[in-house]
Amino acid sequence: MIIPRRPLSLWERLYLPAVWGGFKITLRHFFKKKVTMQYPEERWTVPAGYRGAPYLVRDQDGRTKCVSCQLCEFICPPKAIRITPPGPQPNPGVGNVEKLPQEFEINMLRCIFCGYCQEVCPEEAIFLMKDYSLSGHSRAEMIYDKERLLALGGTHQDQHQKWKQKAREAAAQGIAPAPEATP
Amino acid sequence: MSTSTAAPPKAGPPSVESLTVKVDGRAIVVPKLSPDWQGKPAPTTMIQACEAAGVTVPHYCYHPKLPVAGNCRMCLVEFGTPALGPDRKPILNPDGTLKIAKSPRPAIACATPVSPNMEIYTTTPGVKQMREGVLEFLLINHPLDCPICDQAGECKLQEYSVEYGQAASRFAEQKVHKPKQVDLGPRLILDDERCILCSRCIRFTRDIVGDDALGFVNRGSYNTLTHYPGRPFDNNYTLNTADICPVGALTSKDFRFQMRVWFLRETPSLCTSCGTGCNLLIGSREDRIYRYVPRENEAVNGCWMCDAGRLNYGWVGRRDRLTECRMRHPKGGWQVTNWPALLAAVTEKLAQAAPGSVALIASARQTNEELYLLSRLATRLGALTDAVPRPGQADHLLVCADRNPNSTGARVMGLAATPLGANLPRILEGLRSGKVKTLVVFGEDVTALGVEPALLARLDAVIVSDILPSPTTELAHYLLPGCAHAEKRGTFTNVKGRVQKFMKAVEPRGDARPEWETLTELARGLCGLGNFGGIEGLFNQMALDIPAFEGLTWSKLGDGGANLVLPIPPQP
Ligand code: SF4
Ligand code: SF4
Ligand code: SF4
Ligand code: SF4
Ligand code: FES
């Protein structure tokens, strides 16, 4: 079926009314409240529970909370985490915690911000924080190492400090040596 | 741990030697006597009957290869026996079946013998409650160190807690603390808080090794495992206690904090440190070997292996491994080349050698297949051959005086003299007199046998295949980089004539490739042998050619190996 096109009237062919209509809309918005955001100078306040980049944390005593159990490395769906365990050499600084990762890397190009690492961590050592826009000049720069992750993660107030508590309990029961972790 | 020792229930009607029991309602015929931990016949226990019925009974202290201790109570089951009337005759149900009187008390399955028509119940609410109770007691003072415990992932306390335990703890009191990170001996670390006091380690070292070094001190909640005061726990079998410890109380210093076990891929392999050929599993991740653990084989090593063999894996990952094909430049110096060029040059060199002017020194650390191909080459070249002996001290358990893993193979192939190395003086003599002009060396350092470097420099050709650098590889004219056993497949024949195969766990380094592949190509060029179609075909061809292997095929070897058909001449 062919629908014949209606020829434009003289008023329509003038175009000026349509242009004027457009100006009117623009003018109306000109005095309204602005909705665009001046990114990156201006940023979203992300809602609570937002899943951004995962970082490592220290507790209020400055102890690296991660004990290198490698559960996050195992659970991570895109295999973004790579942990180097400490090996058998004794580390006097870690006390009764015994273990600390020698290296801990997260490949932020791989990470899908799923939060499994935070969920699986038995030590509350890794948290998905609010960072959502990560950038770098090279791929290597996007692999965050332990120091960088700890610096970005900051301090986490630990309610329990179970290792410290264990060391104190043992010492009170006369079990020596009862080393307490030194940061 | 499952074991193959429980004799399979006999077919046909139950004879006097067997009896019928019911496990969870299913009747099963079991022998009256079953092998105990030493393999001697002893009354069949409930746990053996349950295993024969395919019913798992959780257990900690019971181990099929250790004397029964019956101290953990994890294996408690309920049972019933035929009810007897006042006339000591079994009472019958109205339908003519035996009336079963359920025992009011449970029994530990690991130490209670079965009796005729006994019924064992493992799924009743009572059994469930008892398991929960035992686990609750085990956990009250347990540190729950799982995130830092090397046992996590293969821990029976974790597994049974998930399967049979309760979800939450009711223990509000403070836990009893015990020594941690205890240096028990040169290869073991003890964490007393994690110990569940099953005494497996004590029984192992006392009854299997004969070194009564471990024991418990103190009582009740303070009961603690320790070694004899002032004497570290040090014998050649200590690391087996880390394997049989159901929890993370005993862990290996060597493997400590190296890798979580769930990342390790397990490859069936063999120990290469002596002629016993203990079966083992290689634990590797991404081409790095992290540990060896024994693999059960009743015909060879039972459940055990020695510490020396277990820790002898570091060389596979050494940085100075030979990884390049190299030829000596006519004007001196090395020239790195590739396999086709190297093999063509070696084939040409060997083809030109006059019969009788070639000597071949093989290694009894090579596989049967490689030694077979070498023997074919030696026949073609009319070469004088031998392998290098590695004598050591035998012990009372597993370690054998022959420290080569495949001396038997070398002798069966006709490559090595009996005794091993008897031909070496003749080869040396030939080298000195100038009769031998070409020397082929596989996997040995001949300079350690008295061949002076100057002697090697005089020869027409020195063709060397090896894994690690040695003075001999430095002097080679042609260097063929080879593979560790963990990087290839093959078979060894142990001192008792058992042929066993091993699998590939990690990739070869650099340009190195399995010697059997290299030798297949040399044998094709020199002897006109065909392609065997992989290691399976090569083994099957060898079995056809070598009478001692008659009837064997790669697939017939299975996981546990098979005995040679011919008796092997004993080593004097
Ligand atoms: S958030 Fe998900 S993808 Fe990212 S590191 Fe954690 S587990 Fe891996
Ligand atoms: S799960 Fe937690 S404690 Fe374990 S390795 Fe990851 S961050 Fe560290
Ligand atoms: S012994 Fe088992 S349950 Fe105990 S800390 Fe180790 S892994 Fe966890
Ligand atoms: S250390 Fe292990 S094997 Fe020895 S008694 Fe304790 S739990 Fe049992
Ligand atoms: S396994 Fe039977 S009591 Fe321990």
Side-chain angles (χ1 to χ4, degrees):
Chain A
M1 192 173 71
I2 294 169
I3 298 174
R5 187 180 282 250
R6 185 174 61 80
L8 296 176
S9 66
L10 176 72
W11 183 247
E12 281 165 339
R13 265 183 290 151
L14 270 177
Y15 287 108
L16 280 176
V19 170
W20 180 240
F23 274 139
K24 251 183 14 198
I25 292 171
T26 311
L27 213 65
R28 207 165 61 229
H29 282 284
F30 199 77
F31 298 103
K32 275 199 179 159
K33 197 170 159 275
K34 283 202 256 329
V35 291
T36 47
M37 180 183 274
Q38 297 302 309
Y39 187 87
E41 288 80 17
E42 241 180 90
R43 304 253 176 149
W44 279 103
T45 22
V46 294
Y50 180 83
R51 295 199 309 250
Y55 296 143
L56 293 175
V57 297
R58 296 181 203 266
D59 73 0
Q60 55 266 46
D61 295 339
R63 181 179 77 81
T64 301
K65 295 192 76 191
C66 173
V67 298
S68 169
C69 76
Q70 296 183 278
L71 283 174
C72 52
E73 180 177 1
F74 184 69
I75 202 84
C76 178
K79 298 195 197 308
I81 300 179
R82 162 58 49 138
I83 296 167
T84 312
Q89 299 76 26
N91 177 352
V94 293
N96 66 336
V97 187
E98 296 184 39
K99 246 184 127 181
L100 189 77
Q102 199 182 94
E103 190 43 85
F104 192 119
E105 291 174 345
I106 302 183
N107 185 342
M108 293 298 179
L109 293 170
R110 287 189 149 212
C111 176
I112 53 172
F113 303 163
C114 64
Y116 280 9
C117 49
Q118 172 177 341
E119 194 173 329
V120 81
C121 180
E123 298 287 329
E124 302 192 330
I126 190 166
F127 288 92
L128 268 69
M129 309 237 169
K130 304 223 182 288
D131 291 3
Y132 51 84
S133 113
L134 313 175
S135 53
H137 294 290
S138 65
R139 282 168 187 276
E141 217 178 286
M142 296 305 288
I143 299 174
Y144 288 25
D145 66 3
K146 187 174 84 171
E147 290 317 315
R148 193 160 167 204
L149 291 168
L150 282 167
L152 287 164
T155 302
H156 174 248
Q157 286 298 322
D158 189 343
Q159 308 287 309
H160 314 291
Q161 296 200 287
K162 67 169 181 185
W163 296 107
K164 193 172 173 179
Q165 201 187 320
K166 277 191 193 196
R168 296 228 165 122
E169 264 179 35
Q173 291 179 21
I175 297 297
E180 210 174 280
T182 46
Chain B
M1 187 180 283
S2 73
T3 173
S4 50
T5 50
K10 291 200 184 86
S15 68
V16 274
E17 291 304 311
S18 48
L19 44 83
T20 309
V21 295
K22 264 190 184 173
V23 179
D24 292 338
R26 206 161 66 82
I28 167 166
V29 180
V30 293
K32 221 174 205 161
L33 300 176
S34 293
D36 68 356
W37 63 284
Q38 287 169 307
K40 293 194 197 126
T44 303
T45 56
M46 286 175 163
I47 208 164
Q48 285 170 325
C50 288
E51 200 196 314
V55 172
T56 312
V57 177
H59 55 272
Y60 286 116
C61 67
Y62 169 75
H63 188 284
K65 293 278 165 244
L66 295 178
V68 172
N71 61 28
C72 75
R73 322 311 279 181
M74 190 63 209
C75 65
L76 281 170
V77 291
E78 293 190 296
F79 69 102
T81 44
L84 298 182
D87 53 355
R88 310 298 294 160
K89 291 248 171 63
I91 307 173
L92 295 184
N93 286 324
D95 61 356
T97 53
L98 283 172
K99 186 176 160 85
I100 300 294
K102 192 173 158 197
S103 161
R105 293 186 311 127
I108 48 172
C110 65
T112 314
V114 288
S115 56
N117 300 313
M118 181 185 251
E119 292 195 351
I120 304 171
Y121 317 108
T122 72
T123 53
T124 55
V127 172
K128 187 168 172 287
Q129 242 178 17
M130 287 184 289
R131 289 175 181 171
E132 279 179 3
V134 168
L135 282 169
E136 186 165 29
F137 270 123
L138 285 178
L139 285 170
I140 53 171
N141 285 320
H142 197 81
L144 299 182
D145 277 342
C146 308
I148 60 158
C149 178
D150 270 337
Q151 189 81 1
E154 51 184 13
C155 171
K156 284 278 176 261
L157 191 53
Q158 282 186 329
E159 286 167 22
Y160 291 164
S161 294
V162 171
E163 252 173 287
Y164 311 107
Q166 303 170 30
S169 166
R170 296 186 289 169
F171 194 67
E173 292 79 3
Q174 215 179 66
K175 296 192 180 223
V176 171
H177 288 273
K178 291 184 191 174
K180 291 174 86 74
Q181 304 177 54
V182 180
D183 192 353
L184 199 65
R187 289 173 293 282
L188 283 171
I189 282 222
L190 165 69
D191 188 306
D192 266 313
E193 289 189 345
R194 297 179 198 153
C195 172
I196 57 163
L197 307 163
C198 70
S199 82
R200 273 184 176 190
C201 53
I202 301 175
R203 284 174 280 148
F204 171 79
T205 187
R206 186 189 61 207
D207 299 314
I208 305 285
V209 187
D211 174 20
D212 195 359
L214 300 176
F216 291 133
V217 294
N218 302 335
R219 302 177 64 173
S221 299
Y222 301 95
N223 210 193
T224 304
L225 178 83
T226 186
H227 59 83
Y228 190 84
R231 213 184 92 197
F233 181 41
D234 186 9
N235 59 55
N236 197 16
Y237 294 92
T238 57
L239 282 172
N240 292 296
T241 60
D243 298 334
I244 56 172
C245 179
V247 290
L250 289 172
T251 50
S252 154
K253 276 188 192 170
D254 177 67
F255 184 60
R256 184 171 165 84
F257 301 160
Q258 297 274 22
M259 188 46 63
R260 306 306 310 232
V261 295
W262 52 78
F263 288 117
L264 299 183
R265 188 176 62 189
E266 293 189 321
T267 310
S269 188
L270 299 172
C271 179
T272 55
S273 297
C274 86
T276 305
C278 289
N279 291 209
L280 55 82
L281 291 171
I282 298 180
S284 64
R285 183 187 185 198
E286 290 174 0
D287 287 339
R288 176 171 160 197
I289 297 177
Y290 284 92
R291 67 171 183 184
Y292 285 175
V293 287
R295 174 165 59 97
E296 188 178 338
N297 188 340
E298 215 33 61
V300 183
N301 56 315
C303 299
W304 325 118
M305 73 182 293
C306 81
D307 289 2
R310 183 194 300 250
L311 298 178
N312 186 14
Y313 64 85
W315 57 275
V316 178
R318 252 168 67 175
R319 287 187 183 281
D320 58 347
R321 285 276 306 270
L322 299 173
T323 55
E324 288 171 340
C325 302
R326 285 191 281 181
M327 268 193 261
R328 196 164 282 287
H329 218 270
K331 296 190 205 87
W334 284 114
Q335 181 191 348
V336 175
T337 175
N338 54 26
W339 278 107
L342 181 63
L343 288 175
V346 170
T347 308
E348 196 191 321
K349 201 81 200 173
L350 286 176
Q352 287 165 359
S357 74
V358 182
L360 194 159
I361 299 180
S363 172
R365 290 170 162 175
Q366 284 178 279
T367 68
N368 290 320
E369 298 76 24
E370 290 158 5
L371 293 165
Y372 163 71
L373 288 170
L374 276 174
S375 77
R376 296 289 302 251
L377 281 179
T379 314
R380 153 75 176 75
L381 299 167
L384 204 52
T385 65
D386 207 349
V388 181
R390 276 193 181 73
Q393 193 81 46
D395 74 0
H396 63 297
L397 209 55
L398 289 173
V399 179
C400 136
D402 179 357
R403 295 299 162 85
N404 275 319
N406 200 17
S407 299
T408 310
R411 289 193 297 132
V412 168
M413 299 302 158
L415 257 190
T418 301
L420 217 66
N423 261 349
L424 289 175
R426 282 175 57 206
I427 295 177
L428 202 58
E429 178 53 41
L431 286 167
R432 293 235 166 86
S433 67
K435 213 177 122 228
V436 171
K437 297 201 171 58
T438 304
L439 182 64
V440 182
V441 186
F442 265 76
E444 295 288 356
D445 175 15
V446 291
T447 60
L449 303 173
V451 182
E452 300 89 20
L455 216 53
L456 288 180
R458 257 189 10 222
L459 295 178
D460 277 358
V462 182
I463 299 159
V464 179
S465 163
D466 213 331
I467 302 168
L468 291 166
S470 72
T472 305
T473 62
E474 290 308 309
L475 293 165
H477 298 156
Y478 302 92
L479 182 61
L480 304 86
C483 281
H485 67 295
E487 295 161 353
K488 61 188 176 191
R489 293 188 294 162
T491 61
F492 288 138
T493 312
N494 81 357
V495 280
K496 294 196 180 135
R498 194 172 184 83
V499 188
Q500 311 189 85
K501 65 181 172 194
F502 56 86
M503 296 294 162
K504 173 178 162 178
V506 294
E507 285 299 321
R509 314 286 134 138
D511 273 348
R513 55 190 278 197
E515 288 87 333
W516 66 265
E517 284 183 24
T518 316
L519 286 167
T520 303
E521 291 195 25
L522 288 181
R524 183 166 50 212
L526 287 163
C527 321
L529 290 187
N531 217 333
F532 301 101
I535 192 78
E536 297 89 345
L538 174 55
F539 181 89
N540 296 346
Q541 182 61 44
M542 174 185 78
L544 290 178
D545 285 359
I546 306 289
F549 285 78
E550 196 187 299
L552 291 182
T553 60
W554 178 265
S555 54
K556 265 193 208 158
L557 288 183
D559 284 339
N563 288 332
L564 281 187
V565 183
L566 293 184
I568 38 161
Q571 276 260 54

